[in-house]
């Protein structure tokens, strides 16, 4: 299982939000590229980046910081937040050198856009974020909740050729209360998707449990920043 450290970008800084609330922000680094390098030195084999400004404003933001991170580390990077058109996908995948992009709001509102991306790029480079609030898919930087049940959305994505999703239970994100394992077991039992566990990880044991359950990957954010996960240790143990 991949253990993927996360850097959430807002105003060029590495931050964490509490349950997606932009008003409840904690800054963890003023130099995100240095933080990315630390993760690489700890053995991380993938990096998760989120452009929070982009997600909220429906446009690519923090480009210079993202490019600086890409130049600083050699490990693969996935990026989400504000990627709503093929031009932005092309920019990040072809110009900046991001390894895969995560589509969110656009995937829900415009399935044809996802098909276009899959046709132009391999499915390994196009990931969809499934952000869940009370069982329904949330969009626009978690500021809006749709009437689409998350499993229905996952099945729609499977039908059009999506292979990998990042699934976040918003009620868990930034809370350090443990992942929603019931949610992930439901996905595992009802789809063939590779899915990334996101939200709520509190300690090494949560990551080990995700690995024991045979999940594809697990994102670690606040737990690392707050010192409740030993990232180097758990990566060495899990991968």
């Amino acid at each position: 299982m991949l253990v993927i450290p996360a850097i959430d970008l807002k105003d060029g800084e590495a931050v964490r939000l509490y349950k997606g609330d932009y008003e409840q922000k904690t800054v963890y680094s003023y130099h995100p590229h240095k933080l990315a390098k630390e993760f690489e030195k700890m053995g991380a084999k993938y990096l998760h980046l989120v452009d929070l400004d982009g997600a909220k404003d429906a446009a690519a933001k923090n480009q210079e910081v993202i490019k600086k991170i890409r130049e600083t580390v050699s490990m693969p990077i996935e990026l989400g937040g504000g990627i709503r058109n093929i031009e932005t996908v092309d920019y990040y995948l072809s110009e900046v050198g991001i390894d895969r992009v995560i589509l969110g709001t656009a995937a829900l509102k415009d399935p044809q856009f996802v098909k276009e991306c899959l046709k132009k790029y391999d499915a390994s480079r196009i990931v969809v974020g499934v952000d869940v609030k009370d069982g329904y898919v949330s969009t626009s930087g978690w500021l809006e909740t749709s009437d689409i049940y998350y499993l229905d959305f996952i099945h729609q994505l499977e039908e059009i050729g999506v292979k990998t999703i990042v699934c976040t239970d918003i009620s868990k994100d930034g809370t350090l209360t443990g992942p929603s394992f019931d949610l992930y077991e439901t996905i595992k039992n009802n789809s063939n998707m590779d899915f990334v566990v996101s939200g709520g990880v509190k300690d090494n044991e949560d990551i080990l449990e995700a690995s024991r359950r045979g999940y594809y990957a697990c994102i670690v954010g606040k737990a690392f920043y707050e010192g409740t996960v030993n990232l180097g240790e758990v990566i060495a143990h899990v991968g």
Side-chain angles (χ1 to χ4, degrees), residues 105-129:
T105 299
L108 184 69
K109 296 184 176 180
D110 187 4
Q112 191 59 42
F113 168 55
V114 182
K115 293 179 184 178
E116 182 183 3
C117 292
L118 289 170
K119 185 177 180 180
K120 188 166 186 178
Y121 296 97
D122 188 87
S124 64
R125 305 196 73 192
I126 306 297
V127 178
V128 174

Side-chain angles (χ1 to χ4, degrees), residues 13 23 33 38-39 52 98 107 116-117 124 130 138 140 143 145 161 169 173 176 192 210 230 235 237:
E13 301 166 344
E23 299 303 315
H33 66 288
E38 283 183 43
F39 288 145
L52 292 174
I98 297 300
E116 182 183 3
C117 292
S124 64
V130 180
S138 187
S140 302
L143 300 175
T145 302
D169 181 343
D173 194 71
L176 299 178
N192 294 311
N230 184 321
I235 287 173
H237 190 88

Side-chain angles (χ1 to χ4, degrees), residues 15 17 24 71 82 93 108 116 147 154 215 222 224:
V15 309
L17 306 182
Q24 297 192 61
E71 292 164 0
L93 293 183
L108 184 69
E116 182 183 3
D147 59 358
I154 289 172
Y215 299 159
K222 189 173 183 178
F224 166 77

Side-chain angles (χ1 to χ4, degrees), residues 4 14 21 23 30 52 63 73 75 87 92 94 101 104 118 142 144 149 154 158 169 174 205 217 236:
I4 307 179
D21 186 347
E23 299 303 315
Y30 296 105
L52 292 174
Q63 293 103 317
V73 299
M75 64 178 158
E87 291 78 16
Y92 283 126
S94 299
V101 291
L118 289 170
W142 300 353
E144 300 174 14
Y149 184 56
I154 289 172
E158 272 188 302
D169 181 343
E205 181 55 34

Side-chain angles (χ1 to χ4, degrees), residues 123-165:
S124 64
R125 305 196 73 192
I126 306 297
V127 178
V128 174
V130 180
D131 301 326
V132 183
K133 187 173 184 180
D134 300 323
Y136 292 87
V137 180
S138 187
T139 62
S140 302
W142 300 353
L143 300 175
E144 300 174 14
T145 302
S146 73
D147 59 358
I148 306 296
Y149 184 56
Y150 78 96
L151 266 185
D152 293 339
F153 184 45
I154 289 172
H155 290 151
Q156 290 170 19
L157 295 173
E158 272 188 302
E159 286 176 8
I160 63 175
V162 175
K163 303 294 186 187
T164 308
I165 58 172

